[in-house]
Amino acid sequence: MEPETILESLRVTAAWEVRGDGHWVEAPDLDVRAMARLLLSVEARWVTLTVSPVPGGGFRLLYHWDLAGRLLNIATTVPEGLTQSIADIWPAADWAEREARDYYALEFAGRDELPALMLRPEDEPGLFSRTRELGHDADPADAARVDASRGRRDAGGEP
Amino acid sequence: MRLIDSLVRTSRRRSPWLFHLNAGSCNGCDIELVACLTPRYDVEQLGIRLEGSPRHADIIVVSGPVTRTTRAALETVYAQVPDPKVVVALGSCPASCNVFAGSPTVEGPLDRILPVDVYVPGCPPRPDAIIAGIAEAIALLAEGGHA
Amino acid sequence: MTVGRALFQLLVFPGLLYAVPVAWLMLWMERKLTARLQGRIGPPFYQPFFDFVKLLAKRPLPRPPLQALAMSALPVLAVAGTLGALALLPVFPHSGGFTGDLVLLVALLEIPPLCAVLAGFVSRSIYGELGATREAVLSIAYSLPFLAALVALAAAANSLSLSVISQQAMWQVRLPALLALALCLPVKLRVNPFSVANAEQEIYAGATTEFEGPRLALWELAHGLEWVALTGLWAVLAFPAANAAWPLRAVVFVAISLALVLVLAAVAAATARLKLAQAARVYWLWGSALGVLAMVVAVVWP
Amino acid sequence: MSPVIPVGPYHPALEEPYKIELDCDGEAVREAHITVGFNFRAIEWLAERKNYTQDLALVERVCGICSNVHTLTFSRALEQLAGVEVPARAQHIRVVVHEAERLHSHLLWAGIAAEVIGFQTLFMTCFALREKVMDLLEAVSGNRVNYAMNKPGGVTRDIVDPGMVAATAQAIRTAMEREIIPVFTTDRTVRARCAGVGVLTRDEALAWGALGPVARASGLPQDIRKAAPYEIYDRLDFEVPVRPEGDVLARIVVRALEIVESCRIIEQAVDGMPAGPIDAGDFIPVPAGEACARIEGPRGEVFYYVASDGSDVPLRVRIRTPTFQNMPTVALMVREQTLADVPLIQASIDPCYSCTDR
């Protein structure tokens, strides 16, 4: 299937921007589940999901797919920290969604559970969001401020 | 008595068994440690063995900047190695956290968590440097470790 | 058997004084040959000795008293059992022995695996338990051919005395019996392709995972002694020359034992480890076939 | 006995910490749960706080085994953003180092696989051969690990002795064909351990997004070097081995054949190496925008996404490594297998947890 037909089927009005690193499109009102089902039917391959925070709130979700060697980058935005899960259609997306929660506390609707992947089970999700104001500091001692549980332990409060 | 003492010292020098613990390493140091076992370097000549169980070990070799999740394991393993024991920090990460310094999920450097006896600098250190570091650790071990 | 002779056999030859250095020698030979076959130089000959001394000089970890007692007693028992088995080996003909010592030998040889199974469970580690389970399954698998071979020899010689068995020629029975016994050696010694019970990449050190310092030293010693006892048993059975002079018998005994170590080490170096079910199958099928063959021959061709 | 057996986080068969919890019935595995994150160093977080030059050193340390693919992919993303052409000689050098890294990585993996099935001698043979590749990499880059060869716009060091590189590649190919491939494919104990074990079907591989040799051993002919050629791959003559079986043996065969192909690629890349500069200048300014880059690493497709606001610090760096996609398939592969097979099956995807966790 050609990339153009994919946009038509998804009723995306914007056109592909073709670059050296693949096809790019911005589709603010994208139905991600319809996209997932369509790309499954055309034997595309899941590449990954890139989540970036949008200045002023919300997130930009960039879905990357491989269609017979072409990289399709389909971007959409969500105003709040909630979007639809596609892990039931594409098991391959499971870890990427769990990771997005770890980093940005983004929640995925339609999942039974969304356990931590990189963080520990007891950690609060959204590590990147929580530490946004923190710069790169060469002294690791300062990083202790990030993690509330570690602060307690260093103070000798370990149970 | 002196004979026994010197026998024990010699045996510790001739039979150091390692336990390797990856505390969030990138694999670079780990793979060079494995290379030490292979035909070109063959540390078994020196009686060095890599053991699977910490209870069998004399020397704890730690690589990586110590991530939050590996810290508990590090402490458990340290307690499981019977005395006398020596801790070797393999590579730059356990010494200084290297490029990972400042990460919110890194708790290193290693000397905040365990007493470190020998540092083997390098990113990663060459097998020759690793063997030299272990030789340093062996000398400490013969004198009864750091404990 | 006089008390003096029994003590000599237990403490000097082929017992303690001979067996302990030779145990270290055999452990070294196995490691050295493996290393050479792998293009490495390998450990110096004193390696197992220094390993032993070093482990002995380590401070044991604190444990609950009952567990500590059991974890110390089991390897001691394994060492003692193997030494007892060694003392029974009739290297010298007419050196005594008693009717029925074959039964005692079999019982004594079963002590180390039994201790290992118990050790795995006592140490309360999941890997120790897995190692123990594997040890138990394997011992069921190899016991049939191992016992069948010995029983066939006993039936052919019409005696349960080791020294009688070791002196009669009866090659038609001895050959399949020796093959069956040889097949059992790698699994009893936990080397490839049957190193299932101590498969490091699967279950750490198996039953001895949780043992440290002096307790581990005793296991290493017991393991070395098992090498001496099992290759020794095979050597005694493989050289049934009743009239040979005692120095010749001693030399041949040592020579066959050491040669067998080299063969086993070479086979181990050239193979991968089989899985538990695969290993057990080899014994049920080929081991038992050889053992049964020896028994049938012993009965129909006396 | 307790029915849940943990493998890891520290286990003799694993170089790295991670955990598989196995619901077992005796020695048979019913279900597996994978826990990762032990090596989580928040590299994406760090990358958003360091400048591009520092990031190049940082991403090299995502993984010590396939370090070169990370700098290569990151450099290619920046080149895409900046619209920079890499000189032809630099492209050839990149391909040589890229394939030499595949060689050492596959040999390392073959050794570990042999070790996991208890075949120590084969492990030693593989590692002895691997030292030849290490010598090659050291001669080219000056380092045995973390070569620091790539930078945006080119490479940092020239290949001064191309003849030696070609000769080494040829020697490795011969040794591979004569010594290692026959043992892996014909030894009876190896076959007994690997054939029919840990099967991943084609459909599962597709649905779970499996990559690299894992996908190719399950009948999916995907390889970025063919599908979306980068550097000089469209001008090279090489095969992509594919096997339909999907078991451990198929993954062994695919990688063994890939080693031979990599040797051929190195020989060709050295052979046709043109004279000229090895970089497009000392400093490449990165304009605002976003770009992706993918290359075929030893374990499969490596994906980078870089967003820039025009400053010297990136806005977002996204790293998707092949093991991140391959690892979940292990839970499918180990079902109904025995406990003894689990270390082998997890090793058969050539896992890299420092890549996965970042």
Side-chain angles (χ1 to χ4, degrees), chain D residues 73-117:
Chain D
T73 325
F74 186 65
S75 300
R76 287 187 55 78
L78 297 187
E79 285 152 16
Q80 171 68 34
L81 261 175
V84 171
E85 272 294 310
V86 177
R89 188 175 177 87
Q91 294 194 354
H92 282 257
I93 295 171
R94 279 184 175 183
V95 167
V96 169
V97 177
H98 188 33
E99 293 300 326
E101 182 176 62
R102 193 185 319 277
L103 282 181
H104 104 73
S105 176
H106 278 11
L107 279 169
L108 164 81
W109 170 81
I112 298 287
E115 166 84 3
V116 165
I117 55 172

Coordinates of all heavy atoms in Angstrom, one line a residue, chain D residues 73-117:
Chain D
T73 N 24.2 6.1 14.4 CA 22.8 6.5 14.2 C 22.6 8.0 14.6 O 21.9 8.8 14.0 CB 21.9 5.6 14.9 OG1 22.4 4.3 14.9 CG2 20.5 5.6 14.3
F74 N 23.2 8.3 15.8 CA 23.1 9.7 16.3 C 23.7 10.7 15.3 O 23.1 11.7 15.0 CB 23.7 9.8 17.7 CG 23.6 11.1 18.4 CD1 22.3 11.5 18.8 CD2 24.6 11.9 18.6 CE1 22.1 12.7 19.4 CE2 24.5 13.1 19.3 CZ 23.2 13.5 19.7
S75 N 24.9 10.4 14.8 CA 25.5 11.3 13.8 C 24.6 11.4 12.6 O 24.5 12.5 12.0 CB 26.9 10.7 13.4 OG 27.7 10.6 14.5
R76 N 24.1 10.3 12.1 CA 23.2 10.3 10.9 C 22.0 11.2 11.1 O 21.6 11.9 10.2 CB 22.9 8.9 10.5 CG 24.0 8.1 9.9 CD 23.6 6.8 9.3 NE 22.5 7.0 8.3 CZ 22.7 7.4 7.0 NH1 23.9 7.7 6.6 NH2 21.6 7.6 6.2
A77 N 21.4 11.1 12.3 CA 20.3 12.0 12.6 C 20.7 13.5 12.6 O 19.9 14.3 12.0 CB 19.7 11.6 14.0
L78 N 21.8 13.8 13.1 CA 22.3 15.2 13.1 C 22.6 15.6 11.7 O 22.3 16.8 11.3 CB 23.5 15.4 14.0 CG 23.3 15.1 15.5 CD1 24.5 15.5 16.3 CD2 22.0 15.8 16.0
E79 N 23.2 14.7 10.9 CA 23.5 15.0 9.5 C 22.2 15.3 8.7 O 22.2 16.2 7.9 CB 24.3 13.9 8.8 CG 25.7 13.8 9.3 CD 26.3 12.4 9.2 OE1 25.7 11.6 8.5 OE2 27.4 12.2 9.8
Q80 N 21.2 14.5 9.0 CA 19.9 14.7 8.4 C 19.3 16.1 8.8 O 18.9 16.8 7.9 CB 18.9 13.6 8.8 CG 17.5 13.8 8.4 CD 17.3 13.7 6.9 OE1 18.0 12.9 6.3 NE2 16.4 14.4 6.4
L81 N 19.5 16.5 10.0 CA 19.0 17.8 10.5 C 19.7 18.9 9.8 O 19.1 19.9 9.4 CB 19.2 17.9 12.0 CG 18.0 17.6 12.9 CD1 18.4 17.7 14.3 CD2 16.9 18.6 12.6
A82 N 21.1 18.7 9.8 CA 21.9 19.8 9.3 C 22.0 19.8 7.7 O 22.5 20.7 7.2 CB 23.3 19.7 9.9
G83 N 21.6 18.7 7.1 CA 21.7 18.6 5.7 C 23.1 18.5 5.2 O 23.5 19.1 4.2
V84 N 23.9 17.7 5.9 CA 25.3 17.6 5.6 C 25.6 16.3 4.8 O 25.0 15.2 5.1 CB 26.2 17.6 6.9 CG1 27.6 17.3 6.6 CG2 26.0 19.0 7.5
E85 N 26.4 16.3 3.8 CA 26.8 15.1 3.0 C 28.1 14.6 3.7 O 29.0 15.4 4.0 CB 27.1 15.5 1.6 CG 25.9 15.4 0.7 CD 25.3 14.0 0.5 OE1 26.1 13.1 0.2 OE2 24.1 13.8 0.7
V86 N 28.1 13.3 3.8 CA 29.4 12.7 4.4 C 30.3 12.3 3.2 O 29.8 11.7 2.2 CB 29.0 11.4 5.2 CG1 30.3 10.7 5.7 CG2 28.1 11.8 6.3
P87 N 31.6 12.7 3.3 CA 32.5 12.3 2.2 C 32.5 10.8 1.9 O 32.3 10.0 2.8 CB 33.8 12.8 2.6 CG 33.5 13.8 3.7 CD 32.2 13.4 4.3
A88 N 32.8 10.4 0.7 CA 32.8 9.0 0.3 C 33.7 8.2 1.1 O 33.4 7.1 1.5 CB 33.1 8.9 -1.2
R89 N 34.9 8.6 1.3 CA 35.9 7.8 2.1 C 35.4 7.6 3.5 O 35.5 6.5 4.0 CB 37.3 8.6 2.1 CG 38.4 7.7 2.7 CD 39.7 8.3 2.6 NE 40.7 7.5 3.3 CZ 41.4 6.6 2.7 NH1 41.2 6.3 1.5 NH2 42.3 5.9 3.4
A90 N 34.8 8.6 4.1 CA 34.3 8.4 5.4 C 33.1 7.4 5.5 O 33.0 6.6 6.4 CB 33.7 9.8 6.0
Q91 N 32.3 7.4 4.4 CA 31.3 6.3 4.3 C 31.8 4.9 4.3 O 31.3 4.0 4.9 CB 30.4 6.6 3.1 CG 29.6 7.9 3.1 CD 28.6 8.0 2.1 OE1 28.5 7.1 1.2 NE2 27.8 9.0 2.1
H92 N 32.9 4.8 3.5 CA 33.6 3.4 3.5 C 34.1 3.1 4.8 O 34.0 1.9 5.3 CB 34.7 3.5 2.4 CG 34.2 3.3 1.0 ND1 34.2 2.1 0.3 CD2 33.6 4.2 0.2 CE1 33.7 2.3 -0.9 NE2 33.3 3.6 -1.0
I93 N 34.8 4.0 5.5 CA 35.3 3.7 6.8 C 34.2 3.3 7.8 O 34.3 2.4 8.6 CB 36.2 4.9 7.3 CG1 37.4 5.1 6.4 CG2 36.6 4.7 8.7 CD1 38.2 6.3 6.6
R94 N 33.1 4.1 7.7 CA 32.0 3.8 8.6 C 31.5 2.4 8.4 O 31.2 1.6 9.4 CB 30.8 4.8 8.3 CG 31.0 6.1 9.0 CD 29.8 7.0 8.8 NE 29.9 8.2 9.5 CZ 28.9 9.1 9.5 NH1 27.8 8.9 8.8 NH2 29.0 10.2 10.3
V95 N 31.4 2.0 7.2 CA 30.9 0.6 6.9 C 31.9 -0.4 7.4 O 31.5 -1.5 8.0 CB 30.7 0.4 5.4 CG1 30.5 -1.0 5.0 CG2 29.4 1.3 4.9
V96 N 33.2 -0.2 7.2 CA 34.2 -1.2 7.7 C 34.0 -1.3 9.2 O 33.9 -2.5 9.8 CB 35.6 -0.7 7.4 CG1 36.6 -1.5 8.1 CG2 35.9 -0.8 5.9
V97 N 34.0 -0.2 10.0 CA 33.9 -0.3 11.4 C 32.5 -0.9 11.8 O 32.4 -1.8 12.7 CB 34.1 1.1 12.1 CG1 33.9 1.0 13.6 CG2 35.4 1.6 11.7
H98 N 31.4 -0.5 11.2 CA 30.1 -1.0 11.4 C 30.1 -2.5 11.3 O 29.5 -3.2 12.1 CB 29.2 -0.3 10.4 CG 27.7 -0.6 10.6 ND1 27.2 -0.7 11.9 CD2 26.7 -0.7 9.8 CE1 25.9 -0.9 11.8 NE2 25.5 -0.9 10.5
E99 N 30.6 -3.0 10.2 CA 30.6 -4.5 10.0 C 31.6 -5.2 10.9 O 31.3 -6.3 11.4 CB 30.9 -4.8 8.5 CG 29.8 -4.3 7.5 CD 28.5 -4.9 7.8 OE1 28.4 -6.1 8.2 OE2 27.5 -4.2 7.6
A100 N 32.7 -4.6 11.2 CA 33.7 -5.2 12.2 C 33.0 -5.3 13.5 O 33.2 -6.3 14.2 CB 34.9 -4.4 12.3
E101 N 32.2 -4.3 13.9 CA 31.5 -4.4 15.1 C 30.4 -5.6 15.1 O 30.3 -6.3 16.1 CB 30.8 -3.1 15.4 CG 30.1 -3.1 16.7 CD 29.4 -1.8 17.0 OE1 28.5 -1.3 16.3 OE2 29.9 -1.2 18.0
R102 N 29.8 -5.7 14.0 CA 28.8 -6.8 13.8 C 29.6 -8.2 14.0 O 29.1 -9.1 14.7 CB 28.1 -6.8 12.5 CG 26.9 -7.7 12.3 CD 26.4 -7.7 10.9 NE 26.3 -6.4 10.3 CZ 25.3 -5.5 10.5 NH1 24.3 -5.9 11.3 NH2 25.4 -4.3 10.0
L103 N 30.8 -8.3 13.4 CA 31.6 -9.5 13.6 C 31.9 -9.8 15.0 O 31.7 -10.9 15.5 CB 32.9 -9.3 12.8 CG 33.0 -9.4 11.3 CD1 34.4 -9.2 10.9 CD2 32.5 -10.8 10.9
H104 N 32.4 -8.8 15.7 CA 32.8 -9.1 17.1 C 31.6 -9.3 18.0 O 31.6 -10.2 18.8 CB 33.7 -7.9 17.7 CG 33.0 -7.0 18.6 ND1 32.7 -7.4 19.9 CD2 32.6 -5.7 18.5 CE1 32.1 -6.4 20.5 NE2 32.0 -5.4 19.7
S105 N 30.5 -8.6 17.7 CA 29.3 -8.9 18.4 C 28.7 -10.3 18.2 O 28.3 -10.9 19.1 CB 28.2 -7.8 18.1 OG 27.0 -8.0 18.7
H106 N 28.7 -10.7 16.9 CA 28.1 -12.0 16.6 C 29.0 -13.1 17.2 O 28.5 -14.1 17.7 CB 28.0 -12.2 15.1 CG 26.7 -11.6 14.6 ND1 25.9 -10.8 15.3 CD2 26.1 -11.7 13.4 CE1 24.9 -10.4 14.6 NE2 25.0 -11.0 13.4
L107 N 30.3 -12.9 17.1 CA 31.3 -13.9 17.7 C 31.1 -14.0 19.2 O 31.1 -15.1 19.8 CB 32.7 -13.6 17.3 CG 33.1 -14.0 15.9 CD1 34.4 -13.4 15.5 CD2 33.2 -15.5 15.8
L108 N 31.0 -12.8 19.8 CA 30.7 -12.8 21.2 C 29.5 -13.5 21.6 O 29.5 -14.4 22.5 CB 30.6 -11.3 21.6 CG 30.0 -11.0 23.0 CD1 31.0 -11.2 24.1 CD2 29.4 -9.7 23.1
W109 N 28.5 -13.3 20.8 CA 27.2 -14.0 21.1 C 27.3 -15.5 20.9 O 26.8 -16.3 21.7 CB 26.1 -13.4 20.1 CG 24.9 -14.3 20.2 CD1 24.0 -14.2 21.2 CD2 24.6 -15.4 19.4 NE1 23.1 -15.2 21.0 CE2 23.4 -15.9 19.9 CE3 25.2 -16.0 18.3 CZ2 22.8 -17.0 19.3 CZ3 24.6 -17.0 17.7 CH2 23.4 -17.6 18.2
A110 N 28.0 -15.9 19.8 CA 28.2 -17.3 19.6 C 28.9 -17.9 20.7 O 28.6 -19.0 21.2 CB 29.0 -17.5 18.3
G111 N 29.9 -17.2 21.3 CA 30.6 -17.7 22.4 C 29.7 -17.9 23.6 O 29.7 -18.9 24.3
I112 N 28.9 -16.8 23.9 CA 28.0 -16.9 25.0 C 27.0 -18.0 24.9 O 26.7 -18.8 25.8 CB 27.3 -15.5 25.2 CG1 28.3 -14.4 25.5 CG2 26.3 -15.6 26.3 CD1 29.0 -14.4 26.8
A113 N 26.5 -18.2 23.7 CA 25.5 -19.3 23.4 C 26.2 -20.6 23.7 O 25.6 -21.5 24.3 CB 25.0 -19.2 22.0
A114 N 27.4 -20.8 23.3 CA 28.1 -22.0 23.6 C 28.3 -22.2 25.1 O 28.1 -23.3 25.6 CB 29.5 -22.0 22.9
E115 N 28.7 -21.1 25.7 CA 28.9 -21.2 27.2 C 27.6 -21.6 27.9 O 27.6 -22.4 28.8 CB 29.4 -19.8 27.7 CG 29.3 -19.6 29.1 CD 30.5 -20.1 29.9 OE1 31.4 -20.6 29.2 OE2 30.5 -20.0 31.1
V116 N 26.5 -21.0 27.4 CA 25.2 -21.3 28.0 C 24.8 -22.7 27.9 O 24.2 -23.3 28.8 CB 24.1 -20.4 27.5 CG1 22.7 -20.8 27.8 CG2 24.3 -18.9 27.9
I117 N 25.1 -23.4 26.8 CA 24.8 -24.8 26.7 C 26.0 -25.7 27.3 O 26.0 -26.9 27.1 CB 24.4 -25.3 25.3 CG1 25.5 -24.9 24.3 CG2 23.1 -24.7 24.9 CD1 25.3 -25.5 22.9

